[in-house]
Amino acid sequence: MTEAWRQVLDKVRESFAGNWFLLLWIVALIYLFFAEKEKRKLLVYPSILLGVLIFNPLLYRYCWRKLFDYAYWRAFWMVPVLPVIAAATVSLACRMRKNFMKAAVIVLAFAVSAATGTFIYKDRFVRAQNRYKLPQASVDVADALLDLDSEPRAVVDFSLFCYIRQYSPDVHLMYGRNAWGYIDYIGGDQYSVYQQMTQPQPDLNLVRGSMLNMDYDYLVMLPSQAPGYRQEDAESYDSTFYSDAMNSVGFEYMDMVDGYLICRVLPG
């Protein structure tokens, strides 16, 4: 149970990092409970019920984690944090007799929200690199695969699969976000390949065997994952190095696109 508590608290801290909204929500509930009796059934009791159900380590351990652990934090959206704070702010302002006091309550609420909230446009958005609004590398890699095959079946680096899926459904990927437990779960063989491809030096023999068994032809990975790669010698590596390195583990080096190796699995 202690571990469940820790995990719930970690999710809460991640979701409410840098702001006081959860604390203000609790204060607002207490205020509305005593100051606005008619709002108890409308806001207070439903909010408390949702809070008890969602921020509950016992339910998290035996229910939420099994149902949607990958997106447990999204359940926090069901808790009416902002509506409760807004209702309490308006209620408090309306109880003030003088207009300047009403204005002060609104300004104070605005100031607290602005000061403790997170400015979402800071360090979270970048200029679109193309009309698809996807990283250019994912578009270029997908186009390179489609030049090799009209419907390529591929294993790609985890930094690409979400974007390639959006760009073209003609690229058939062994796994996508389901490797992280999103929506559904992948089979054991696919997950083994995914685990290997997240390693600095994956077992490419295992990857090749699984690709052959499941009829996947292309592998897209980082140059640093090639056998024999050494960071201190990276500047001297050319296509010959990557061709020899990948051939030694049963792959044919095809191209280097935007910092990714594109290889084809060799039969046999």
Side-chain angles (χ1 to χ4, degrees):
M1 189 57 65
T2 301
E3 179 62 18
W5 261 114
R6 186 190 64 78
Q7 292 178 1
V8 170
L9 290 175
D10 285 345
K11 296 295 184 182
V12 169
R13 277 193 289 264
E14 290 174 9
S15 298
F16 294 94
N19 65 65
W20 297 353
F21 292 149
L22 195 59
L23 177 61
L24 292 174
W25 171 68
I26 295 173
V27 172
L29 283 176
I30 296 173
Y31 167 80
L32 290 174
F33 181 83
F34 291 103
E36 300 284 351
K37 293 184 179 180
E38 68 278 8
K39 287 187 171 60
R40 289 180 182 177
K41 292 183 179 180
L42 180 66
L43 275 177
V44 178
Y45 295 147
S47 296
I48 293 174
L49 177 61
L50 285 170
V52 169
L53 291 175
I54 292 172
F55 302 118
N56 188 316
L58 186 64
L59 286 176
Y60 173 78
R61 180 179 180 181
Y62 294 106
C63 185
W64 308 142
R65 186 166 61 182
K66 296 180 180 179
L67 290 177
F68 54 96
D69 185 46
Y70 67 91
Y72 168 64
W73 55 273
R74 292 181 179 175
F76 299 167
W77 300 347
M78 293 189 291
V79 181
V81 174
L82 296 182
V84 168
I85 294 173
T89 301
V90 172
S91 171
L92 183 60
C94 290
R95 287 177 175 272
M96 298 297 160
R97 295 184 178 181
K98 297 183 179 179
N99 288 335
F100 82 90
M101 290 298 295
K102 297 178 186 290
V105 171
I106 300 300
V107 170
L108 179 62
F110 178 83
V112 171
S113 298
T116 66
T118 302
F119 185 55
I120 65 171
Y121 295 106
K122 181 180 179 182
D123 302 326
R124 297 183 66 176
F125 295 87
V126 297
R127 184 178 294 276
Q129 297 176 320
N130 49 59
R131 65 190 180 94
Y132 307 105
K133 298 183 180 179
L134 297 171
Q136 190 61 43
S138 61
V139 173
D140 293 340
V141 168
D143 284 340
L145 290 170
L146 291 167
D147 286 341
L148 295 170
D149 194 323
S150 60
E151 293 190 11
R153 292 172 61 81
V155 173
V156 304
D157 186 76
F158 72 90
S159 62
L160 296 174
F161 55 59
C162 287
Y163 303 117
I164 289 178
R165 179 182 63 84
Q166 297 176 64
Y167 175 66
S168 174
D170 292 329
V171 181
H172 300 279
L173 303 177
M174 181 183 288
Y175 50 77
R177 293 199 306 168
N178 52 356
W180 302 334
Y182 280 75
I183 308 303
D184 60 5
Y185 294 92
I186 60 176
D189 290 340
Q190 292 97 324
Y191 190 68
S192 294
V193 173
Y194 165 73
Q195 285 185 311
Q196 288 300 321
M197 294 308 300
T198 60
Q199 302 301 314
Q201 288 293 313
D203 183 347
L204 293 177
N205 289 306
L206 183 152
V207 172
R208 176 175 176 271
S210 295
M211 289 179 65
L212 287 172
N213 290 337
M214 291 180 278
D215 196 26
Y216 283 85
D217 302 309
Y218 298 98
L219 175 67
V220 179
M221 66 182 200
L222 298 173
S224 60
Q225 294 177 306
Y229 181 94
R230 291 163 55 90
Q231 183 61 45
E232 57 269 26
D233 299 328
E235 293 184 3
S236 65
Y237 294 153
D238 56 14
S239 58
T240 301
F241 167 80
Y242 292 113
S243 179
D244 292 342
M246 296 309 297
N247 189 263
S248 69
V249 287
F251 289 90
E252 178 187 3
Y253 169 77
M254 306 298 295
D255 200 0
M256 172 88 76
V257 177
D258 293 358
Y260 292 92
L261 297 181
I262 298 181
C263 306
R264 178 160 36 204
V265 66
L266 295 172

